[in-house]
Amino acid sequence: MSDTAFTENASSYADGGMGTAGDFFELLKPRVMSLVVFTALVGLVVAPGGINPVIGFTALLCIAVGAGASGALNMWYDADIDARMTRTRTRPVPSGRVTPQEAAVFGTVMAAGSVFVMGALVNWTAAALLAFTIFFYAVIYTMWLKRSTPQNIVIGGAAGAFPPMIAWAAVTGDVSLQSISLFLIIFMWTPPHFWALALCKSGDYEEVGVPMLPVVAGERETRRQIMLYSLLLVPVTLSPVALGFAGWLYAGATAGLGVVFLALAARLARCAPAPDGDKTAQHRAAMRLFGFSILYLFLIFSLLLVEKMAGIAPVFP
Amino acid sequence: MSGEEEKEDARERDRHKIEAPHWDEAMVKRRRQRNVAIAWVLVALVVLFFVVTIAKLGGNIASRPL
């Protein structure tokens, strides 16, 4: 869909009122929300002290809705570029089912609602962190960094890393080194995860003028930076052991997974396009790393959860 | 008010009348569906506040000195 098509769609439904409840739900980016809920659940369970299940559920709900609100605001602001990328052109705003104004109001109301409910029913530290996360994603990342620097997802990735920290604060009412270590795992994981995908989709980003690293610095530099961030990521995943809230099962399994992650990143780093410009091998290596990175993060957080539930995690200092 | 004045008054009202957006059957159905969804969200919010209040209150009441 071109810009013109987006404008035509938008103007034909300028009054709004065409979207179904499902379209508004789609604005919340439910697939991203599921990862957010899972990492937040782990933060909630692993944090010391425990929480009433009803209040814990409320905290997760607020985090999910807050993340969804950020997604809606992102879809509102990015509708122009979403309309020109294959992956995103059928989203509710570029396809004209929801007007940009409706998306903006919906996102703002959900954001304010999630922060208020978190503050009123859970605690205000968690609410403040949630508000900051929404602001960070919607303003710092979407409105500012995404279109201005190739390091956009490194800094913007912080927004995706906050949920376990918010959940931890919902239990303890504070921010600690332990919760920061959960934040750092996702923060360091985001660049290799996202750049692996960007290596395969750089054409899309180039067309719409988003300065993704492969577009601006080239594929070789991207592969090098993926390797560097992977080298930083693996020690960071072991920090829960050093900080005393993960045990030997976690340590062994995470180290093993880290070796696989590094091997896939190293394979990608060596995988230059063929002299005739054929990028099949590079794309295959990038997609393998991208696919494994999702499993990697899921398993690391699952291990923390399993250790805690099975009672084999170290007693909290 | 004379008949002529009434007609002039009606014309004046017509001039200031705001054009209502055209709502076809599909749009009315979607609006209704959205309204029902909002109603359920509000009901869920009321239940949530009630349940959390009981959860927060429960322990304190149960452990109070008799």
Side-chain angles (χ1 to χ4, degrees), chain A residues 15-22 24 52 54-55 57-58 61 102 116-117 120-122, chain B residues 21-24 26-28 30-31 33-34 37 41 45 48-49 51-53 55-56:
Chain A
D15 292 329
M18 286 303 293
T20 61
F24 282 88
N52 181 300
V54 176
I55 298 170
F57 167 79
T58 308
L61 186 71
E102 284 175 324
F116 170 73
V117 174
L121 300 185
V122 183
Chain B
H22 174 68
W23 286 85
D24 60 26
M27 289 175 87
V28 172
R30 285 175 189 184
R31 181 175 59 180
Q33 187 198 28
R34 288 198 303 272
V41 169
L45 211 51
L48 184 70
F49 269 78
V51 173
V52 171
T53 305
K56 285 191 172 191

mmCIF file of all heavy atoms in Angstrom, chain A residues 15-22 24 52 54-55 57-58 61 102 116-117 120-122, chain B residues 21-24 26-28 30-31 33-34 37 41 45 48-49 51-53 55-56:
data_model
loop_
_atom_site.group_PDB
_atom_site.id
_atom_site.type_symbol
_atom_site.label_atom_id
_atom_site.label_comp_id
_atom_site.label_asym_id
_atom_site.label_seq_id
_atom_site.Cartn_x
_atom_site.Cartn_y
_atom_site.Cartn_z
ATOM 1 N N ASP A 15 -14.323 10.026 9.888
ATOM 2 C CA ASP A 15 -15.186 10.177 11.053
ATOM 3 C C ASP A 15 -14.971 9.082 12.084
ATOM 4 O O ASP A 15 -15.420 9.191 13.213
ATOM 5 C CB ASP A 15 -16.654 10.163 10.612
ATOM 6 C CG ASP A 15 -16.997 11.405 9.800
ATOM 7 O OD1 ASP A 15 -16.377 12.446 10.076
ATOM 8 O OD2 ASP A 15 -17.843 11.307 8.903
ATOM 9 N N GLY A 16 -14.312 8.000 11.703
ATOM 10 C CA GLY A 16 -14.101 6.878 12.608
ATOM 11 C C GLY A 16 -15.347 6.031 12.722
ATOM 12 O O GLY A 16 -16.295 6.164 11.941
ATOM 13 N N GLY A 17 -15.316 5.152 13.708
ATOM 14 C CA GLY A 17 -16.499 4.333 13.945
ATOM 15 C C GLY A 17 -16.553 3.069 13.103
ATOM 16 O O GLY A 17 -17.539 2.343 13.142
ATOM 17 N N MET A 18 -15.490 2.796 12.325
ATOM 18 C CA MET A 18 -15.518 1.604 11.474
ATOM 19 C C MET A 18 -14.879 0.395 12.151
ATOM 20 O O MET A 18 -15.079 -0.734 11.718
ATOM 21 C CB MET A 18 -14.779 1.885 10.158
ATOM 22 C CG MET A 18 -15.536 2.761 9.195
ATOM 23 S SD MET A 18 -17.154 2.104 8.773
ATOM 24 C CE MET A 18 -16.708 0.645 7.848
ATOM 25 N N GLY A 19 -14.057 0.623 13.168
ATOM 26 C CA GLY A 19 -13.314 -0.478 13.781
ATOM 27 C C GLY A 19 -14.173 -1.365 14.663
ATOM 28 O O GLY A 19 -15.083 -0.898 15.338
ATOM 29 N N THR A 20 -13.874 -2.666 14.635
ATOM 30 C CA THR A 20 -14.555 -3.584 15.541
ATOM 31 C C THR A 20 -13.758 -3.643 16.852
ATOM 32 O O THR A 20 -12.641 -3.119 16.926
ATOM 33 C CB THR A 20 -14.605 -5.003 14.943
ATOM 34 O OG1 THR A 20 -13.250 -5.441 14.765
ATOM 35 C CG2 THR A 20 -15.318 -5.019 13.610
ATOM 36 N N ALA A 21 -14.338 -4.292 17.863
ATOM 37 C CA ALA A 21 -13.616 -4.449 19.127
ATOM 38 C C ALA A 21 -12.310 -5.215 18.864
ATOM 39 O O ALA A 21 -11.272 -4.942 19.471
ATOM 40 C CB ALA A 21 -14.489 -5.192 20.130
ATOM 41 N N GLY A 22 -12.360 -6.164 17.912
ATOM 42 C CA GLY A 22 -11.168 -6.947 17.555
ATOM 43 C C GLY A 22 -10.061 -6.072 16.985
ATOM 44 O O GLY A 22 -8.878 -6.299 17.260
ATOM 45 N N PHE A 24 -9.490 -2.977 17.751
ATOM 46 C CA PHE A 24 -8.887 -2.246 18.870
ATOM 47 C C PHE A 24 -7.989 -3.173 19.688
ATOM 48 O O PHE A 24 -6.936 -2.760 20.173
ATOM 49 C CB PHE A 24 -9.967 -1.590 19.737
ATOM 50 C CG PHE A 24 -10.502 -0.327 19.118
ATOM 51 C CD1 PHE A 24 -11.560 -0.373 18.229
ATOM 52 C CD2 PHE A 24 -9.908 0.896 19.379
ATOM 53 C CE1 PHE A 24 -12.033 0.782 17.621
ATOM 54 C CE2 PHE A 24 -10.370 2.064 18.769
ATOM 55 C CZ PHE A 24 -11.441 2.000 17.890
ATOM 56 N N ASN A 52 0.077 -11.464 47.231
ATOM 57 C CA ASN A 52 -1.271 -12.029 47.172
ATOM 58 C C ASN A 52 -1.608 -12.329 45.704
ATOM 59 O O ASN A 52 -1.406 -11.467 44.846
ATOM 60 C CB ASN A 52 -2.262 -11.010 47.753
ATOM 61 C CG ASN A 52 -3.691 -11.521 47.754
ATOM 62 O OD1 ASN A 52 -4.234 -11.831 46.700
ATOM 63 N ND2 ASN A 52 -4.281 -11.603 48.922
ATOM 64 N N VAL A 54 -4.271 -12.359 43.973
ATOM 65 C CA VAL A 54 -5.185 -11.412 43.323
ATOM 66 C C VAL A 54 -4.427 -10.133 42.945
ATOM 67 O O VAL A 54 -4.572 -9.606 41.830
ATOM 68 C CB VAL A 54 -6.379 -11.067 44.248
ATOM 69 C CG1 VAL A 54 -7.266 -10.010 43.606
ATOM 70 C CG2 VAL A 54 -7.168 -12.313 44.578
ATOM 71 N N ILE A 55 -3.570 -9.666 43.848
ATOM 72 C CA ILE A 55 -2.807 -8.447 43.570
ATOM 73 C C ILE A 55 -1.737 -8.735 42.511
ATOM 74 O O ILE A 55 -1.471 -7.908 41.630
ATOM 75 C CB ILE A 55 -2.208 -7.871 44.866
ATOM 76 C CG1 ILE A 55 -3.373 -7.511 45.799
ATOM 77 C CG2 ILE A 55 -1.339 -6.648 44.592
ATOM 78 C CD1 ILE A 55 -2.987 -7.148 47.186
ATOM 79 N N PHE A 57 -2.072 -10.902 40.097
ATOM 80 C CA PHE A 57 -2.798 -10.941 38.823
ATOM 81 C C PHE A 57 -3.061 -9.518 38.330
ATOM 82 O O PHE A 57 -2.901 -9.215 37.148
ATOM 83 C CB PHE A 57 -4.118 -11.710 39.007
ATOM 84 C CG PHE A 57 -5.065 -11.548 37.854
ATOM 85 C CD1 PHE A 57 -4.891 -12.280 36.689
ATOM 86 C CD2 PHE A 57 -6.127 -10.649 37.920
ATOM 87 C CE1 PHE A 57 -5.753 -12.113 35.611
ATOM 88 C CE2 PHE A 57 -6.999 -10.479 36.851
ATOM 89 C CZ PHE A 57 -6.809 -11.215 35.686
ATOM 90 N N THR A 58 -3.434 -8.647 39.259
ATOM 91 C CA THR A 58 -3.704 -7.249 38.894
ATOM 92 C C THR A 58 -2.452 -6.585 38.323
ATOM 93 O O THR A 58 -2.516 -5.864 37.329
ATOM 94 C CB THR A 58 -4.183 -6.452 40.131
ATOM 95 O OG1 THR A 58 -5.255 -7.170 40.722
ATOM 96 C CG2 THR A 58 -4.648 -5.065 39.770
ATOM 97 N N LEU A 61 -1.897 -7.822 34.849
ATOM 98 C CA LEU A 61 -2.906 -7.227 33.958
ATOM 99 C C LEU A 61 -2.503 -5.791 33.582
ATOM 100 O O LEU A 61 -2.571 -5.397 32.421
ATOM 101 C CB LEU A 61 -4.268 -7.246 34.662
ATOM 102 C CG LEU A 61 -5.468 -6.794 33.846
ATOM 103 C CD1 LEU A 61 -5.798 -7.837 32.784
ATOM 104 C CD2 LEU A 61 -6.686 -6.595 34.752
ATOM 105 N N GLU A 102 -8.488 7.777 16.721
ATOM 106 C CA GLU A 102 -9.039 6.731 17.594
ATOM 107 C C GLU A 102 -7.911 5.950 18.263
ATOM 108 O O GLU A 102 -7.973 5.653 19.459
ATOM 109 C CB GLU A 102 -9.916 5.774 16.769
ATOM 110 C CG GLU A 102 -11.277 6.340 16.406
ATOM 111 C CD GLU A 102 -12.054 5.402 15.488
ATOM 112 O OE1 GLU A 102 -11.445 4.738 14.623
ATOM 113 O OE2 GLU A 102 -13.278 5.344 15.627
ATOM 114 N N PHE A 116 -2.881 4.107 36.585
ATOM 115 C CA PHE A 116 -3.702 4.448 37.752
ATOM 116 C C PHE A 116 -4.096 3.183 38.536
ATOM 117 O O PHE A 116 -3.981 3.142 39.777
ATOM 118 C CB PHE A 116 -4.973 5.191 37.313
ATOM 119 C CG PHE A 116 -5.964 5.357 38.421
ATOM 120 C CD1 PHE A 116 -5.725 6.278 39.444
ATOM 121 C CD2 PHE A 116 -7.102 4.564 38.499
ATOM 122 C CE1 PHE A 116 -6.622 6.413 40.501
ATOM 123 C CE2 PHE A 116 -7.995 4.684 39.544
ATOM 124 C CZ PHE A 116 -7.760 5.622 40.553
ATOM 125 N N VAL A 117 -4.532 2.142 37.816
ATOM 126 C CA VAL A 117 -4.952 0.911 38.507
ATOM 127 C C VAL A 117 -3.760 0.276 39.227
ATOM 128 O O VAL A 117 -3.871 -0.188 40.360
ATOM 129 C CB VAL A 117 -5.614 -0.083 37.515
ATOM 130 C CG1 VAL A 117 -5.907 -1.414 38.190
ATOM 131 C CG2 VAL A 117 -6.908 0.509 36.960
ATOM 132 N N ALA A 120 -3.177 2.416 42.346
ATOM 133 C CA ALA A 120 -4.241 2.322 43.348
ATOM 134 C C ALA A 120 -4.313 0.928 43.981
ATOM 135 O O ALA A 120 -4.579 0.793 45.177
ATOM 136 C CB ALA A 120 -5.579 2.676 42.703
ATOM 137 N N LEU A 121 -4.101 -0.112 43.172
ATOM 138 C CA LEU A 121 -4.311 -1.473 43.694
ATOM 139 C C LEU A 121 -3.026 -2.224 44.051
ATOM 140 O O LEU A 121 -3.062 -3.182 44.829
ATOM 141 C CB LEU A 121 -5.111 -2.302 42.680
ATOM 142 C CG LEU A 121 -6.507 -1.789 42.310
ATOM 143 C CD1 LEU A 121 -7.211 -2.788 41.407
ATOM 144 C CD2 LEU A 121 -7.357 -1.497 43.533
ATOM 145 N N VAL A 122 -1.901 -1.834 43.458
ATOM 146 C CA VAL A 122 -0.663 -2.599 43.740
ATOM 147 C C VAL A 122 0.282 -1.698 44.551
ATOM 148 O O VAL A 122 0.292 -1.770 45.773
ATOM 149 C CB VAL A 122 -0.021 -3.123 42.436
ATOM 150 C CG1 VAL A 122 1.214 -3.979 42.754
ATOM 151 C CG2 VAL A 122 -1.025 -3.944 41.619
ATOM 152 N N PRO B 21 -23.080 12.452 10.928
ATOM 153 C CA PRO B 21 -22.371 11.542 10.046
ATOM 154 C C PRO B 21 -23.310 10.424 9.583
ATOM 155 O O PRO B 21 -24.228 10.046 10.305
ATOM 156 C CB PRO B 21 -21.252 10.994 10.922
ATOM 157 C CG PRO B 21 -21.688 11.223 12.318
ATOM 158 C CD PRO B 21 -22.606 12.398 12.301
ATOM 159 N N HIS B 22 -23.065 9.939 8.406
ATOM 160 C CA HIS B 22 -23.927 8.886 7.895
ATOM 161 C C HIS B 22 -23.549 7.557 8.544
ATOM 162 O O HIS B 22 -22.427 7.091 8.434
ATOM 163 C CB HIS B 22 -23.790 8.780 6.380
ATOM 164 C CG HIS B 22 -24.542 7.615 5.813
ATOM 165 N ND1 HIS B 22 -25.914 7.591 5.823
ATOM 166 C CD2 HIS B 22 -24.121 6.455 5.280
ATOM 167 C CE1 HIS B 22 -26.300 6.435 5.286
ATOM 168 N NE2 HIS B 22 -25.230 5.732 4.951
ATOM 169 N N TRP B 23 -24.467 6.995 9.253
ATOM 170 C CA TRP B 23 -24.217 5.703 9.908
ATOM 171 C C TRP B 23 -25.023 4.634 9.171
ATOM 172 O O TRP B 23 -26.238 4.613 9.255
ATOM 173 C CB TRP B 23 -24.674 5.752 11.368
ATOM 174 C CG TRP B 23 -23.762 6.556 12.234
ATOM 175 C CD1 TRP B 23 -23.796 7.901 12.423
ATOM 176 C CD2 TRP B 23 -22.659 6.077 13.009
ATOM 177 N NE1 TRP B 23 -22.793 8.304 13.261
ATOM 178 C CE2 TRP B 23 -22.082 7.200 13.638
ATOM 179 C CE3 TRP B 23 -22.099 4.821 13.235
ATOM 180 C CZ2 TRP B 23 -20.978 7.093 14.471
ATOM 181 C CZ3 TRP B 23 -21.000 4.717 14.062
ATOM 182 C CH2 TRP B 23 -20.439 5.843 14.668
ATOM 183 N N ASP B 24 -24.306 3.736 8.489
ATOM 184 C CA ASP B 24 -25.037 2.645 7.854
ATOM 185 C C ASP B 24 -25.197 1.511 8.868
ATOM 186 O O ASP B 24 -24.694 1.591 10.002
ATOM 187 C CB ASP B 24 -24.372 2.206 6.551
ATOM 188 C CG ASP B 24 -22.957 1.720 6.771
ATOM 189 O OD1 ASP B 24 -22.669 1.260 7.896
ATOM 190 O OD2 ASP B 24 -22.135 1.814 5.843
ATOM 191 N N ALA B 26 -23.916 -1.464 9.090
ATOM 192 C CA ALA B 26 -22.686 -2.113 9.562
ATOM 193 C C ALA B 26 -22.011 -1.278 10.638
ATOM 194 O O ALA B 26 -21.507 -1.810 11.636
ATOM 195 C CB ALA B 26 -21.739 -2.312 8.385
ATOM 196 N N MET B 27 -22.023 0.053 10.442
ATOM 197 C CA MET B 27 -21.381 0.930 11.425
ATOM 198 C C MET B 27 -22.124 0.910 12.755
ATOM 199 O O MET B 27 -21.512 0.909 13.823
ATOM 200 C CB MET B 27 -21.308 2.360 10.880
ATOM 201 C CG MET B 27 -20.306 2.499 9.767
ATOM 202 S SD MET B 27 -20.352 4.138 9.058
ATOM 203 C CE MET B 27 -19.229 5.024 10.099
ATOM 204 N N VAL B 28 -23.464 0.883 12.680
ATOM 205 C CA VAL B 28 -24.260 0.834 13.907
ATOM 206 C C VAL B 28 -23.978 -0.472 14.658
ATOM 207 O O VAL B 28 -23.800 -0.488 15.879
ATOM 208 C CB VAL B 28 -25.770 0.955 13.577
ATOM 209 C CG1 VAL B 28 -26.618 0.714 14.816
ATOM 210 C CG2 VAL B 28 -26.054 2.334 13.000
ATOM 211 N N ARG B 30 -21.224 -2.269 14.509
ATOM 212 C CA ARG B 30 -19.877 -2.215 15.099
ATOM 213 C C ARG B 30 -19.844 -1.317 16.329
ATOM 214 O O ARG B 30 -19.163 -1.606 17.300
ATOM 215 C CB ARG B 30 -18.869 -1.703 14.068
ATOM 216 C CG ARG B 30 -18.543 -2.757 13.058
ATOM 217 C CD ARG B 30 -17.648 -2.237 11.978
ATOM 218 N NE ARG B 30 -17.535 -3.224 10.916
ATOM 219 C CZ ARG B 30 -16.766 -3.082 9.866
ATOM 220 N NH1 ARG B 30 -16.061 -2.010 9.705
ATOM 221 N NH2 ARG B 30 -16.713 -4.015 8.945
ATOM 222 N N ARG B 31 -20.594 -0.203 16.260
ATOM 223 C CA ARG B 31 -20.641 0.691 17.422
ATOM 224 C C ARG B 31 -21.238 -0.034 18.613
ATOM 225 O O ARG B 31 -20.730 0.030 19.727
ATOM 226 C CB ARG B 31 -21.474 1.938 17.103
ATOM 227 C CG ARG B 31 -21.519 2.914 18.283
ATOM 228 C CD ARG B 31 -22.237 4.182 17.933
ATOM 229 N NE ARG B 31 -23.612 3.922 17.520
ATOM 230 C CZ ARG B 31 -24.464 4.892 17.166
ATOM 231 N NH1 ARG B 31 -24.065 6.142 17.153
ATOM 232 N NH2 ARG B 31 -25.692 4.596 16.829
ATOM 233 N N GLN B 33 -21.247 -3.263 19.107
ATOM 234 C CA GLN B 33 -20.281 -4.266 19.554
ATOM 235 C C GLN B 33 -19.194 -3.616 20.431
ATOM 236 O O GLN B 33 -18.807 -4.146 21.469
ATOM 237 C CB GLN B 33 -19.659 -4.902 18.304
ATOM 238 C CG GLN B 33 -18.765 -6.082 18.582
ATOM 239 C CD GLN B 33 -17.854 -6.378 17.387
ATOM 240 O OE1 GLN B 33 -17.510 -5.489 16.605
ATOM 241 N NE2 GLN B 33 -17.477 -7.621 17.247
ATOM 242 N N ARG B 34 -18.732 -2.434 20.015
ATOM 243 C CA ARG B 34 -17.710 -1.730 20.800
ATOM 244 C C ARG B 34 -18.266 -1.293 22.151
ATOM 245 O O ARG B 34 -17.597 -1.399 23.179
ATOM 246 C CB ARG B 34 -17.210 -0.489 20.038
ATOM 247 C CG ARG B 34 -16.332 -0.784 18.848
ATOM 248 C CD ARG B 34 -15.546 0.463 18.437
ATOM 249 N NE ARG B 34 -16.414 1.594 18.151
ATOM 250 C CZ ARG B 34 -16.943 1.843 16.966
ATOM 251 N NH1 ARG B 34 -16.701 1.040 15.966
ATOM 252 N NH2 ARG B 34 -17.707 2.883 16.771
ATOM 253 N N ALA B 37 -18.350 -4.176 24.423
ATOM 254 C CA ALA B 37 -16.995 -4.488 24.897
ATOM 255 C C ALA B 37 -16.581 -3.518 26.007
ATOM 256 O O ALA B 37 -16.029 -3.936 27.034
ATOM 257 C CB ALA B 37 -16.006 -4.434 23.737
ATOM 258 N N VAL B 41 -15.619 -4.320 29.944
ATOM 259 C CA VAL B 41 -14.361 -3.871 30.567
ATOM 260 C C VAL B 41 -14.665 -3.123 31.865
ATOM 261 O O VAL B 41 -14.008 -3.331 32.899
ATOM 262 C CB VAL B 41 -13.544 -2.981 29.591
ATOM 263 C CG1 VAL B 41 -12.387 -2.291 30.301
ATOM 264 C CG2 VAL B 41 -13.010 -3.818 28.429
ATOM 265 N N LEU B 45 -13.619 -4.118 35.642
ATOM 266 C CA LEU B 45 -12.865 -3.191 36.488
ATOM 267 C C LEU B 45 -13.518 -3.071 37.870
ATOM 268 O O LEU B 45 -12.825 -3.057 38.898
ATOM 269 C CB LEU B 45 -12.817 -1.824 35.794
ATOM 270 C CG LEU B 45 -11.595 -0.958 36.020
ATOM 271 C CD1 LEU B 45 -10.305 -1.713 35.752
ATOM 272 C CD2 LEU B 45 -11.656 0.276 35.132
ATOM 273 N N LEU B 48 -12.795 -6.209 39.711
ATOM 274 C CA LEU B 48 -11.378 -6.220 40.115
ATOM 275 C C LEU B 48 -11.160 -5.374 41.373
ATOM 276 O O LEU B 48 -10.523 -5.812 42.331
ATOM 277 C CB LEU B 48 -10.513 -5.707 38.958
ATOM 278 C CG LEU B 48 -9.013 -5.750 39.194
ATOM 279 C CD1 LEU B 48 -8.500 -7.177 39.200
ATOM 280 C CD2 LEU B 48 -8.264 -4.953 38.131
ATOM 281 N N PHE B 49 -11.705 -4.147 41.364
ATOM 282 C CA PHE B 49 -11.542 -3.268 42.531
ATOM 283 C C PHE B 49 -12.169 -3.899 43.775
ATOM 284 O O PHE B 49 -11.607 -3.828 44.868
ATOM 285 C CB PHE B 49 -12.153 -1.887 42.256
ATOM 286 C CG PHE B 49 -11.164 -0.921 41.673
ATOM 287 C CD1 PHE B 49 -10.816 -0.978 40.328
ATOM 288 C CD2 PHE B 49 -10.539 0.038 42.465
ATOM 289 C CE1 PHE B 49 -9.883 -0.107 39.783
ATOM 290 C CE2 PHE B 49 -9.618 0.918 41.929
ATOM 291 C CZ PHE B 49 -9.279 0.849 40.588
ATOM 292 N N VAL B 51 -12.709 -7.203 44.373
ATOM 293 C CA VAL B 51 -11.953 -8.383 44.809
ATOM 294 C C VAL B 51 -10.638 -7.975 45.473
ATOM 295 O O VAL B 51 -10.262 -8.512 46.523
ATOM 296 C CB VAL B 51 -11.704 -9.340 43.606
ATOM 297 C CG1 VAL B 51 -10.782 -10.474 44.006
ATOM 298 C CG2 VAL B 51 -13.017 -9.891 43.096
ATOM 299 N N VAL B 52 -9.942 -6.977 44.892
ATOM 300 C CA VAL B 52 -8.681 -6.541 45.488
ATOM 301 C C VAL B 52 -8.930 -5.905 46.860
ATOM 302 O O VAL B 52 -8.171 -6.116 47.816
ATOM 303 C CB VAL B 52 -7.922 -5.556 44.555
ATOM 304 C CG1 VAL B 52 -6.733 -4.931 45.263
ATOM 305 C CG2 VAL B 52 -7.442 -6.280 43.309
ATOM 306 N N THR B 53 -10.012 -5.159 46.981
ATOM 307 C CA THR B 53 -10.343 -4.557 48.288
ATOM 308 C C THR B 53 -10.543 -5.645 49.332
ATOM 309 O O THR B 53 -10.001 -5.571 50.447
ATOM 310 C CB THR B 53 -11.628 -3.705 48.162
ATOM 311 O OG1 THR B 53 -11.426 -2.765 47.122
ATOM 312 C CG2 THR B 53 -11.926 -2.973 49.447
ATOM 313 N N ALA B 55 -9.370 -8.678 49.195
ATOM 314 C CA ALA B 55 -8.078 -9.353 49.419
ATOM 315 C C ALA B 55 -7.206 -8.546 50.376
ATOM 316 O O ALA B 55 -6.567 -9.095 51.274
ATOM 317 C CB ALA B 55 -7.360 -9.550 48.089
ATOM 318 N N LYS B 56 -7.205 -7.210 50.210
ATOM 319 C CA LYS B 56 -6.368 -6.369 51.066
ATOM 320 C C LYS B 56 -6.950 -6.262 52.471
ATOM 321 O O LYS B 56 -6.229 -6.210 53.464
ATOM 322 C CB LYS B 56 -6.234 -4.967 50.468
ATOM 323 C CG LYS B 56 -5.295 -4.930 49.288
ATOM 324 C CD LYS B 56 -4.981 -3.499 48.900
ATOM 325 C CE LYS B 56 -3.886 -3.486 47.850
ATOM 326 N NZ LYS B 56 -3.344 -2.169 47.604
#
